[in-house]
Amino acid sequence: MNTHHVELNSDLIRFLRPLSDRPLREVTEELLVLELYRRRQLCSGKAAELLGMSRWEFVHFASRQGIAFFDLNEDEIDDEFARVDQLKSLQSDATL
């Protein structure tokens, strides 16, 4: 993996230090990955890979940071429930 060095303003570093006792590089990578995931620039699988955890570990981790796994608007939720109703109907028809 290629690495790049980034210079950070000392004021920014002062804000990052209290977030964790882990190395600043790890904390910064974590924050970058979470933000890219929140912006939908990374899928949960790639985000997990970048942070060295399983996909489900990442999903739980992100949700603890306030980033929802399912981020659906009201119309999308209604569509999902309609699909569930259709599947139930098909299942009922198949058992008859």
Side-chain angles (χ1 to χ4, degrees):
M1 169 174 47
N2 291 333
T3 61
H4 299 277
H5 297 279
V6 176
E7 290 187 32
L8 298 175
N9 181 296
S10 59
D11 288 337
L12 182 57
I13 291 173
R14 274 199 315 251
F15 286 104
L16 292 172
R17 288 264 182 238
L19 295 178
S20 176
D21 57 353
R22 291 176 301 135
L24 187 58
R25 180 192 58 76
E26 290 178 19
V27 174
T28 305
E29 284 178 358
E30 195 173 86
L31 291 170
L32 286 169
V33 168
L34 285 167
E35 182 60 18
L36 290 169
Y37 174 72
R38 186 187 68 77
R39 291 180 181 213
R40 298 181 181 176
Q41 298 298 306
L42 289 177
C43 67
S44 59
K46 184 61 174 180
E49 177 187 325
L50 289 169
L51 295 180
M53 55 180 75
S54 75
R55 182 172 180 251
W56 293 115
E57 287 172 324
F58 175 77
V59 168
H60 289 291
F61 173 70
S63 69
R64 288 191 307 272
Q65 307 307 313
I67 302 171
F69 181 61
F70 293 107
D71 188 18
L72 305 174
N73 65 36
E74 192 172 331
D75 290 336
E76 292 169 325
I77 291 170
D78 289 342
D79 290 345
E80 290 299 318
F81 281 118
R83 284 189 195 101
V84 169
D85 290 341
Q86 286 175 335
L87 289 172
K88 285 181 183 178
S89 177
L90 290 172
Q91 187 178 16
S92 294
D93 293 345
T95 58
L96 294 177

